[in-house]
Amino acid sequence: MSLESLLKPAKWVDTKVQKQYTRLGKRIPEKHLYKTTFAIQMIGKIGTATWGPYIGIPHLAAGSFSGVVLDGPDCLYNVDGLEGKIDRNSEGGIIALNSMQNFSARYNRTIRLPVFLTGVGFLGKVIYDVANYVVSGEPLTSETAKNVTTGFGFLSLASSMYLKDQDPKLLEKQPSKLKAFLGGLYEKAKGLIPSPQPVPQPIPINRSFTLEDYAKS
């Protein structure tokens, strides 16, 4: 099995998430885009620095790692956007003006889905704990609050990445694959059904001639 076939499901999910962020991004005026992404990325810093203790890493080390590896390139990208150093063309794509911007764009596309799914996972655990509290009366702990902070942090960072990489083509109405499939079946079935051959119909001839008709002929 090739690496491309293994990554295909992840690419499909990433495209679906990107489509929803593109729909959301259309509501943000162009002049406010980088202000928005920078703000939510800064909020995300609080959450992405709290994951360390889950695996025994001190807060300071986790925060430093997040600042350099997770949101560092995205932060520089947002700053360039605020300073007007990034040109967005009419198709919603991005024209990077230097190699660092190119690196940041590619880097974001690589890590944004794992970052997004991490946030969803932490918030999913929060929903589970709250449901357990409502149904079974099991008390909530401080871990629930930490999960909320971490989950929103990762989702905020992923949102900053996705909103800067909108693709309006994803919102174009695609032809229904089911409709095309059924149409193809109909055409094939139609070709298998023999069409009836036309049967010649005799034309009746009126043989009642009078002498007058005979004289005229």
Side-chain angles (χ1 to χ4, degrees):
M1 184 176 292
S2 65
L3 179 62
E4 184 178 354
S5 61
L6 289 174
L7 294 177
K8 192 174 182 179
K11 188 175 181 180
W12 181 84
V13 175
D14 179 68
T15 301
K16 294 298 181 183
V17 176
Q18 184 185 15
K19 180 178 180 179
Q20 297 308 315
Y21 273 103
T22 298
R23 183 174 284 114
L24 177 63
K26 286 175 67 68
R27 302 179 182 180
I28 303 175
E30 187 72 22
K31 62 181 180 180
H32 296 316
L33 176 64
Y34 291 104
K35 294 177 183 177
T36 302
T37 57
F38 182 73
I40 60 179
Q41 187 255 325
M42 287 293 106
I43 294 173
K45 274 183 174 294
I46 301 172
T48 54
T50 60
W51 58 271
Y54 289 100
I55 55 176
I57 299 177
H59 280 294
L60 182 59
S64 299
F65 177 86
S66 298
V68 175
V69 177
L70 288 181
D71 57 359
D74 190 60
C75 181
L76 295 176
Y77 204 4
N78 281 325
V79 171
D80 280 350
L82 288 173
E83 294 178 351
K85 296 179 180 179
I86 299 176
D87 181 28
R88 297 173 59 85
N89 61 32
S90 59
E91 295 297 322
I94 295 173
I95 302 174
L97 302 182
N98 58 53
S99 58
M100 187 59 201
Q101 290 175 9
N102 276 316
F103 169 78
S104 297
R106 293 195 303 269
Y107 191 78
N108 281 357
R109 293 189 185 108
T110 302
I111 72 168
R112 65 190 183 187
L113 181 61
V115 170
F116 176 83
L117 293 178
T118 300
V120 171
F122 275 105
L123 292 181
K125 180 64 167 60
V126 172
I127 294 173
Y128 173 81
D129 289 342
V130 172
N132 229 8
Y133 169 74
V134 173
V135 175
S136 307
E138 190 171 326
L140 299 175
T141 66
S142 60
E143 290 298 314
T144 302
K146 292 180 182 178
N147 289 340
V148 171
T149 303
T150 304
F152 273 116
F154 276 88
L155 277 183
S156 296
L157 176 57
S159 298
S160 172
M161 295 175 177
Y162 276 109
L163 286 173
K164 289 194 297 292
D165 191 24
Q166 300 171 36
D167 186 357
K169 293 180 180 179
L170 295 176
L171 301 181
E172 295 176 359
K173 188 175 181 180
Q174 301 295 326
S176 172
K177 292 183 179 180
L178 177 60
K179 186 176 180 180
F181 175 73
L182 294 177
L185 286 181
Y186 171 76
E187 292 298 328
K188 288 181 180 179
K190 186 178 178 181
L192 295 175
I193 300 175
S195 57
Q197 296 295 327
V199 179
Q201 297 293 328
I203 300 175
I205 300 175
N206 187 1
R207 295 182 176 277
S208 58
F209 292 102
T210 62
L211 287 176
E212 185 180 352
D213 294 329
Y214 181 78
K216 290 180 180 180
S217 62

